[in-house]
Amino acid sequence: MFYLSEIEHTMRLPPHLLDLHLHDAIKGEIEGLFLDKVIANLGLCVSVYDIRSIDGGFIFAGDGASTYTVRFRLIMFRPFVGEVIVAKLKEFDAHSLRLSLGFFDDIYVPAHLLPHPHRFVTDPEKKWLWEYEGESYPIDGVDEIRFRVQSINYPSIPVEQEILSNALPVEQNKQSQHTPPKNTQSKPFAPMVVTGSLDADGLGPISWWV
């Protein structure tokens, strides 16, 4: 689940930090750059483990900051496919569950990876149920949920494309002015998405198996 990743990075140290101990100043800058950030194919940075080397310290003409080349190691969260992890239910709908580890919330369990047979009910309250031997076992967020990692994806950053109204035909523009805008809200972009599965013995709310 957690790995050490070694990185080499060239960074500027602003003049107002030069009165600090060099190691402390650079560590603070590294934390600002990488902590709680996702690096594609490496995972989510949760901590700076150590600094291996600091080279340079050059001050370029017209720039009051010193520039260093730093080699350091980061503690990265990157689960592997097939790993079993315990999380809490954050939210759900008729299509999937969303789970949270506290420091990472982008874990999704789509409906087809829930234990079979299952159904989503809305009365008297919304919840997922697993049907087994005539009994219904709810996924209600009371218990911790054990899931198996199905895949890890690093989606590309989306590029928003604006549609200029003056590029549309005049009649279409007039019609769009009288048409109520559609709800275009979508979930926030997640640079790292973990897909999980509950469809195996021992997975799901822990109370199912005790």
Side-chain angles (χ1 to χ4, degrees):
M1 183 187 300
F2 295 99
Y3 298 85
L4 283 178
S5 295
E6 185 169 321
I7 295 176
E8 182 175 287
H9 183 67
T10 300
M11 58 188 302
R12 295 173 68 256
L13 196 63
H16 71 273
L17 297 178
L18 296 179
D19 60 336
L20 299 177
H21 188 278
L22 181 60
H23 183 279
D24 295 336
I26 287 181
K27 183 177 180 181
E29 288 296 289
I30 293 172
E31 290 176 340
L33 288 171
F34 294 96
L35 202 60
D36 294 328
K37 305 293 195 307
V38 170
I39 303 175
N41 300 318
L42 289 183
L44 172 70
C45 175
V46 296
S47 180
V48 177
Y49 185 73
D50 62 8
I51 297 175
R52 308 298 296 273
S53 66
I54 301 173
D55 298 317
F58 304 108
I59 299 178
F60 296 100
D63 187 0
S66 53
T67 301
Y68 295 90
T69 299
V70 186
R71 288 177 56 244
F72 52 93
R73 290 187 293 178
L74 302 175
I75 300 177
M76 310 296 295
F77 166 71
R78 185 178 74 251
F80 57 85
V81 173
E83 182 175 7
V84 175
I85 303 174
V86 175
K88 294 286 289 184
L89 180 65
K90 183 176 179 66
E91 58 185 3
F92 64 91
D93 57 23
H95 306 288
S96 65
L97 309 178
R98 185 182 183 187
L99 308 180
S100 172
L101 296 175
F103 63 91
F104 182 76
D105 296 337
D106 293 309
I107 304 169
Y108 295 90
V109 180
H112 69 275
L113 292 178
L114 293 174
H116 291 274
H118 58 259
R119 61 190 176 97
F120 183 72
V121 298
T122 58
D123 186 29
E125 59 180 353
K126 294 181 179 180
K127 59 184 174 182
W128 280 98
L129 297 175
W130 173 39
E131 305 288 345
Y132 182 71
E133 295 185 349
E135 297 289 336
S136 295
Y137 298 88
I139 304 175
D140 51 16
V142 175
D143 300 313
E144 292 183 318
I145 295 174
R146 188 183 292 118
F147 72 96
R148 183 177 58 208
V149 177
Q150 193 79 4
S151 65
I152 303 99
N153 297 307
Y154 301 90
S156 300
I157 299 176
V159 179
E160 295 182 359
Q161 297 181 350
E162 297 182 357
I163 301 177
L164 301 179
S165 60
N166 57 10
L168 298 174
V170 175
E171 292 300 324
Q172 189 173 347
N173 267 335
K174 290 181 179 179
Q175 183 178 0
S176 64
Q177 291 176 1
H178 300 284
T179 302
K182 295 182 179 180
N183 184 7
T184 58
Q185 291 183 351
S186 59
K187 62 184 180 182
F189 171 71
M192 175 179 170
V193 177
V194 175
T195 300
S197 171
L198 304 186
D199 193 15
D201 290 345
L203 302 181
I206 293 177
S207 63
W208 289 0
W209 308 102
V210 296

